[in-house]
Amino acid sequence: MFFARKCLGSSFSRPFDGLTKWWRLVKASLLVVAALIAAIAIGVVALHHRGGAHAVGIRLGVELNTHATAAWLALANNLFAEHGLRVEKVIKFRTGPELAAAFSRGDIDAAWACLAPIVKMIDKGAELYIVEAAHYYGYGCVGSPRVKSIDDLRRLGHEPVVAIPGKAAQVHPLLILAEQRYGFRAKVVYIKPPAILSAVMKGSVDAACLPEPLLSVAVKRGLPLLFTAQQVWPNMPGSYLVVSKQLLEKHPEAVCELAAVNEEATRLIHRDLEEAVRVDAKMLGLPEQVINESLHRLYFTTRLNVAEMQRMVDIMYSHGLIRHDINISKYIVDLDKLCKNKR
């Protein structure tokens, strides 16, 4: 009996050993495949959650100019979706009042906008908060065909008439500093774009202070450049990423992601200016040469210079452009605190 079992064992154990090894190999392979499928499924779910149905919906306001180059690049390169944001609407605006109306109606959650209109909105009671900078500079003044220099402006024999796009325009504080620097006093008139360009070209006004790219358009058409922001106001504040109080309170993580989008898009500008020119030209419908000149008159950065921001507020308050003496620091988001787990 023992001999029989021994013989059976010796004759039948090898095939069974082979099957056992084969089955172990199959099980190991199945486990690897299962792990891969699980990893892919988790990735798909995460991607869906980040950029799909669960992404935070954002309604954006964007200046219709080169100041908003970071926003235009972010839209063109799908950066919002990559950061888990779903752009539901993009409202393009030309003036501060247009932006203020959109914010007051609750039509937008965030915007790239110049500081002066932001301050004006805060002064009127809007609950807005500044997240990051978008650029410095990007403003200047041109003369009419008969006013080719600041000296010509001073020698007119009458108070020079200088047009600006609106009372809350960023160029108004710039003009005030230019008056002090160059020793003239202007009669300010408000003309909306693009009519302001026509007025200065026809000589209906003696000069016009303009934002980019309108400034570069004016120079391209032969109007003399009287001065730029760099010449009058070193580190002059430009545009900023600003969000509503509602978005900040309801979706603080979305504000962190908006800041990340702004930072990534700003790096893209410095890495590939030619792409920035192409994107802006397409978005704004202007020749690439004009856009290129315009971008060289701006310095793109996300860094906040709070002292210069407060200086703009102080100029606006002391000259009656706003009613309240605003401490701008109270309206700046502390990103390090808000996004401490992300930064």
Side-chain angles (χ1 to χ4, degrees):
M1 193 65 143
F2 171 78
F3 177 77
R5 282 199 295 267
K6 185 176 180 182
C7 291
L8 284 170
S10 62
S11 61
F12 288 100
S13 62
R14 289 188 185 91
F16 281 112
D17 287 345
L19 285 171
T20 302
K21 291 178 182 178
W22 176 81
W23 178 241
R24 287 174 181 171
L25 182 62
V26 169
K27 285 199 296 183
S29 300
L30 288 173
L31 286 173
V32 171
V33 171
L36 287 171
I37 291 173
I40 293 170
I42 291 170
V44 169
V45 170
L47 182 62
H48 179 72
H49 178 77
R50 185 168 178 81
H54 298 285
V56 178
I58 299 291
R59 299 164 302 167
L60 298 175
V62 186
E63 292 178 290
L64 201 58
N65 55 31
T66 51
H67 294 177
T69 298
W72 299 130
L73 274 177
L75 289 166
N77 287 277
N78 206 31
L79 297 186
F80 293 98
E82 290 181 10
H83 286 270
L85 301 171
R86 187 179 69 258
V87 178
E88 295 179 347
K89 180 191 297 185
V90 177
I91 295 179
K92 302 172 186 176
F93 63 91
R94 291 183 180 274
T95 65
E98 290 178 18
L99 174 64
F103 262 122
S104 65
R105 291 192 305 266
D107 288 346
I108 54 178
D109 306 299
W112 276 261
C114 293
L115 180 60
I118 294 171
V119 170
K120 188 73 174 178
M121 286 184 281
I122 292 172
D123 184 58
K124 289 186 174 182
E127 295 181 312
L128 303 176
Y129 291 89
I130 295 166
V131 180
E132 286 184 327
H135 69 88
Y136 296 169
Y137 310 123
Y139 314 89
C141 289
V142 293
S144 67
R146 67 176 180 275
V147 178
K148 301 185 182 302
S149 66
I150 289 292
D151 287 336
D152 289 344
L153 199 67
R154 288 195 294 246
R155 290 195 294 256
L156 284 173
H158 63 266
E159 191 175 57
V161 179
V162 180
I164 64 175
K167 192 172 183 179
Q170 190 95 338
V171 290
H172 203 161
L174 176 65
L175 177 59
I176 289 168
L177 290 186
E179 289 176 319
Q180 297 171 5
R181 178 183 178 90
Y182 297 119
F184 69 92
R185 182 63 180 238
K187 178 182 178 182
V188 177
V189 295
Y190 306 118
I191 305 175
K192 293 181 180 181
I196 189 172
L197 190 57
S198 176
V200 70
M201 291 186 70
K202 291 178 180 177
S204 304
V205 295
D206 299 309
C209 293
L210 308 167
E212 288 293 348
L214 199 55
L215 181 67
S216 292
V217 171
V219 173
K220 183 67 176 176
R221 293 186 181 181
L223 292 178
L225 182 63
L226 301 182
F227 59 84
T228 64
Q230 286 91 327
Q231 295 170 304
V232 174
W233 190 344
N235 297 316
M236 179 185 176
S239 295
Y240 295 80
L241 171 61
V242 60
V243 297
S244 67
K245 182 180 180 181
Q246 183 179 5
L247 181 69
L248 183 60
E249 290 182 345
K250 190 175 181 181
H251 295 292
E253 76 285 358
V255 175
C256 295
E257 295 300 340
L258 278 170
V261 168
N262 187 47
E263 291 162 10
E264 185 173 348
T266 302
R267 288 193 294 270
L268 283 176
I269 297 171
H270 289 283
R271 191 182 309 147
D272 192 348
L273 188 64
E274 290 183 1
E275 183 194 359
V277 168
R278 288 192 296 270
V279 169
D280 277 359
K282 182 178 179 180
M283 293 292 188
L284 303 177
L286 289 171
E288 289 188 6
Q289 183 181 357
V290 171
I291 296 296
N292 184 58
E293 292 176 6
S294 175
L295 295 188
H296 278 89
R297 291 195 175 99
L298 294 108
Y299 175 67
F300 293 96
T301 179
T302 63
R303 184 177 60 86
L304 298 174
N305 187 327
V306 180
E308 293 299 336
M309 294 166 71
Q310 187 61 52
R311 185 184 185 190
M312 176 165 286
V313 174
D314 294 342
I315 292 171
M316 294 177 71
Y317 178 66
S318 63
H319 287 79
L321 302 180
I322 54 176
R323 296 172 297 173
H324 303 96
D325 190 4
I326 295 169
N327 181 354
I328 199 64
S329 296
K330 294 182 178 180
Y331 300 92
I332 295 176
V333 176
D334 186 344
L335 281 178
D336 288 335
K337 183 178 179 180
L338 185 71
C339 313
K340 59 184 177 181
N341 296 325
K342 292 179 175 292
R343 299 175 76 83

